[in-house]
Amino acid sequence: MGPSDSDTTDTMTAGLGSDGAVEERTISFEPMEIGYEEESLLNEGAEDSSSVRANASAMKANIFRVDSIAIPVFYFTLGLLMKLPYLPLRIFLRDHIHATPGQQALVFAVVMGMPWNLKVFIGFLSDTTPIRGQRRKPYMFLGTAVCSSCWMLMGMWGPGVTMGLLVLFLFFGVLGMIIGDVMADALVVERVKHEVKKGSIQTSVWMLRFSGGIVGFLASGRLMEYGNVHPQTIFFITGLVPLLTLLPSVYLLHDERIVVRGTQKEQMTEKMYILWDTLQTKNIWMPMLFLYSFASTPNAGDAFSNFLLGPLGFTESEYSYLLTVGMLSQLVGAYIYKRWLGEIGWHKLFLVTLVTGSALSATQLILVARLNVQWGIPDMVFAFGDEIVNDVVAFILQMPTLIMCAALCPKGIEGVLYALMVCVNNVALSTGGAISGAITDALGITSTNFDGLFTLVLITSLSSLLPILLIPFTPKSAKECEEAALLMERTATDGGTSLARPRRNSGDKSLIEEADRATPRDALQELKRSKLGGGAVVFALVVGFIFSIADTAWKLSLVDED
């Protein structure tokens, strides 16, 4: 395939330099290069180019090939890393560091939570600063090395580990894991564009992630309860696992090389313009506002958990089994979506699952009012059944949003845009948690007083219906998302609007006007930008970040009081 083909050519613009000569200016939108599988097939002289492309796409979409095996290995390992040290860390903080409850909350909510809010910056860095021509593989190596080193050092340090040292190890250990997570997400987004049945790759990797989490939960409990293994030994094992599983598979990973022209500052500036232009398109900002409303609705999770562990007398072991059952239920939910619900229109699916989820979450009222006892149903049995059904429905509802985020990302900014969408979701979750806490406090619910719990559950169940109002903001299917992303890429290739637009600070307005004229009128209408819409997303994100910092400062003040 020649260098003039659009699939392999970097998008370029030309402008006049100060001396009147034509200068070549690189923009930072790089179409995904044709992989080596397709090139080899074409070089063999295959006659039917469409079948060749179909076979090449199928190869790229297969994440279980040797050159992509790092993706499924990572997601299983990610689930393991998130759950294996969870219980040992709680015990280590309580029995060895002698941390107060406030300090424990600080470690889990702030120290280990803050790196998740950095995903968008990591995605931007990988998209704009490739290492030796590769945007994913080197960063995944780096993240794995940092994560493993921190957990292994925490395990080998001995009894001299202080609270400050533990916080340092945990922050960078989680940060290393997040770097790998952002790279794996970007690799998935690049490959979902080639899959025939949309959502297959993402449901597969989430099933692997849940499987790893279940193994981690069960392994940590067994090691500590029956093997009498010290928490620091489990920390060392946590760091050893990625070295044995991830590093060999990442070495085999095929990551397409790109050619970077221009200075680093130019690349970053251009990416910022591209990202801002993309955020302003209705295909991006409208779904993101739906995601924000969906994730920011309040919930009764913390208060209800304290109710189970307090008045109902659930033991920590029983509660951990309940969490494990919840993860199994999410695994089942992912399979149900992949097997039977993948072809259903999203508007219909969102409506049905939101209404169903609201009704099912209200069943907690039965447990709060103790009606299950009157009916002869033990608390444990009812709680397990409630957890199973609610988590299955919750993940069926979540799956289309994940597919939507991946399908909407145009080529060239997959890492930063997908990370931005996830970051918006995380910020919204923090906002929802703050709203939940405010309502809980207003109702007078404490660790010993649950008189207002019935009202809290009722409020949160009804509020979960609010995102229904924004369902029209979302695409109707994965196909519609894919068409929107292809439209943005096509207009970029044609010299059109957002992604391939010449720099606004170049001063050459004729180039911008010519680009607009070259774009089909219907495409321009579809990609009509709204500064108000893009600004609303940025505003929500910035306010969320400010709130996270304020929330961190407030929690630190509580720790100081303790």
Side-chain angles (χ1 to χ4, degrees):
M1 184 169 287
S4 61
D5 293 322
S6 61
D7 286 336
T8 58
T9 305
D10 288 338
T11 305
M12 305 290 295
T13 61
L16 295 179
S18 58
D19 58 354
V22 177
E23 62 174 356
E24 187 179 51
R25 182 167 63 250
T26 304
I27 69 154
S28 57
F29 171 73
E30 303 92 0
M32 188 172 176
E33 296 178 1
I34 260 183
Y36 62 86
E37 302 98 338
E38 187 172 345
E39 285 186 314
S40 64
L41 288 170
L42 291 174
N43 291 335
E44 289 174 3
E47 296 181 358
D48 189 355
S49 61
S50 62
S51 63
V52 169
R53 290 182 179 276
N55 291 335
S57 291
M59 291 179 184
K60 288 180 180 180
N62 184 3
I63 60 172
F64 294 98
R65 287 173 57 87
V66 173
D67 58 351
S68 296
I69 197 66
I71 298 174
V73 170
F74 174 83
Y75 281 101
F76 181 86
T77 306
L78 175 64
L80 190 73
L81 291 177
M82 292 178 68
K83 301 303 179 183
L84 179 62
Y86 181 80
L87 183 60
L89 182 58
R90 279 200 176 277
I91 294 174
F92 187 76
L93 284 168
R94 184 187 65 193
D95 297 342
H96 298 273
I97 302 294
H98 304 295
T100 64
Q103 290 173 326
Q104 293 178 39
L106 176 67
V107 168
F108 284 100
V110 179
V111 176
M112 299 182 70
M114 189 59 69
W116 290 92
N117 291 329
L118 302 177
K119 293 186 74 169
V120 63
F121 302 107
I122 297 169
F124 184 78
L125 182 66
S126 70
D127 279 346
T128 58
T129 314
I131 299 175
R132 301 185 67 178
Q134 293 179 304
R135 297 182 296 170
R136 317 298 180 204
K137 186 173 181 177
Y139 287 99
M140 191 172 278
F141 260 121
L142 175 64
T144 301
V146 171
C147 177
S148 293
S149 299
C150 289
W151 282 106
M152 293 177 73
L153 283 172
M154 193 158 55
M156 295 186 299
W157 206 268
V161 177
T162 62
M163 185 64 172
L165 198 58
L166 184 72
V167 164
L168 186 68
F169 285 147
L170 284 174
F171 179 84
F172 284 102
V174 175
L175 181 62
M177 182 182 71
I178 298 303
I179 293 173
D181 184 39
V182 173
M183 299 308 108
D185 286 344
L187 290 168
V188 166
V189 172
E190 291 170 359
R191 282 156 177 76
V192 297
K193 299 180 185 300
H194 300 281
E195 62 181 347
V196 177
K197 185 177 180 181
K198 297 303 176 184
S200 296
I201 294 178
Q202 285 171 285
T203 50
S204 296
V205 297
W206 274 91
M207 289 170 71
L208 286 165
R209 178 171 171 172
F210 289 139
S211 299
I214 292 167
V215 171
F217 248 140
L218 296 177
S220 64
R222 293 286 178 177
L223 287 171
M224 297 193 69
E225 186 174 355
Y226 298 105
N228 198 26
V229 178
H230 193 276
Q232 284 187 282
T233 304
I234 298 180
F235 297 158
F236 182 83
I237 296 173
T238 301
L240 186 63
V241 168
L243 290 180
L244 299 178
T245 59
L246 271 181
L247 284 186
S249 59
V250 173
Y251 177 78
L252 300 172
L253 177 66
H254 172 64
D255 184 18
E256 293 172 343
R257 294 184 180 275
I258 62 171
V259 177
V260 178
R261 300 181 179 89
T263 66
Q264 183 66 31
K265 182 180 179 180
E266 289 175 337
Q267 285 284 313
M268 288 189 170
T269 302
E270 196 67 46
K271 287 289 185 182
M272 290 293 293
Y273 277 122
I274 291 172
L275 184 60
W276 172 235
D277 276 352
T278 305
L279 281 178
Q280 292 180 74
T281 61
K282 67 176 185 179
N283 297 314
I284 299 296
W285 70 262
M286 293 177 72
M288 289 180 78
L289 288 182
F290 171 79
L291 291 176
Y292 193 92
S293 69
F294 172 66
S296 62
T297 53
N299 64 83
D302 290 338
F304 193 74
S305 297
N306 287 325
F307 179 69
L308 294 178
L309 294 169
L312 296 193
F314 279 45
T315 65
E316 290 187 3
S317 178
E318 289 172 335
Y319 186 66
S320 66
Y321 287 142
L322 191 64
L323 295 178
T324 304
V325 168
M327 294 194 67
L328 279 169
S329 302
Q330 291 176 316
L331 181 62
V332 172
Y335 177 78
I336 291 174
Y337 182 87
K338 182 178 181 180
R339 183 70 176 82
W340 292 291
L341 304 179
E343 301 301 323
I344 296 179
W346 285 353
H347 285 191
K348 180 180 179 180
L349 188 62
F350 282 140
L351 179 62
V352 172
T353 49
L354 280 170
V355 172
T356 305
S358 176
L360 289 174
S361 65
T363 58
Q364 294 177 341
L365 296 172
I366 297 174
L367 200 62
V368 174
R370 315 301 292 126
L371 294 177
N372 62 295
V373 177
Q374 298 178 23
W375 299 341
I377 305 175
D379 292 337
M380 178 62 72
V381 174
F382 187 88
F384 267 77
D386 182 70
E387 183 76 15
I388 291 171
V389 176
N390 273 291
D391 283 349
V392 168
V393 174
F395 196 76
I396 290 174
L397 178 61
Q398 184 183 2
M399 201 63 239
T401 65
L402 297 170
I403 297 171
M404 178 172 62
C405 289
L408 284 172
C409 294
K411 295 177 183 178
I413 55 170
E414 302 98 332
V416 62
L417 185 56
Y418 188 82
L420 179 63
M421 290 181 173
V422 174
C423 194
V424 167
N425 184 75
N426 291 341
V427 168
L429 288 173
S430 299
T431 304
I435 296 173
S436 303
I439 297 174
T440 302
D441 292 339
L443 293 173
I445 300 173
T446 65
S447 58
T448 56
N449 180 16
F450 296 94
D451 293 340
L453 184 58
F454 188 95
T455 304
L456 176 64
V457 173
L458 185 60
I459 292 172
T460 56
S461 297
L462 292 175
S463 65
S464 64
L465 296 173
L466 292 176
I468 290 177
L469 299 175
L470 297 184
I471 288 179
F473 278 27
T474 65
K476 296 178 180 178
S477 64
K479 183 179 180 181
E480 187 174 321
C481 291
E482 186 179 35
E483 289 173 352
L486 287 174
L487 180 60
M488 286 187 282
E489 293 164 16
R490 191 184 76 214
T491 54
T493 304
D494 293 340
T497 55
S498 56
L499 294 181
R501 180 179 294 277
R503 289 194 190 93
R504 283 156 178 69
N505 60 359
S506 64
D508 195 344
K509 296 183 180 180
S510 62
L511 285 176
I512 300 176
E513 293 171 357
E514 182 180 352
D516 286 338
R517 288 194 298 270
T519 307
R521 187 174 299 276
D522 60 338
L524 285 172
Q525 183 64 29
E526 280 294 317
L527 290 178
K528 184 178 180 181
R529 295 190 298 274
S530 168
K531 291 184 178 180
L532 181 62
V537 173
V538 175
F539 176 79
L541 191 61
V542 171
V543 169
F545 271 125
I546 294 174
F547 168 78
S548 297
I549 295 172
D551 188 51
T552 300
W554 179 70
K555 288 177 179 176
L556 283 170
S557 67
L558 292 181
V559 170
D560 291 337
E561 291 176 5
D562 291 338

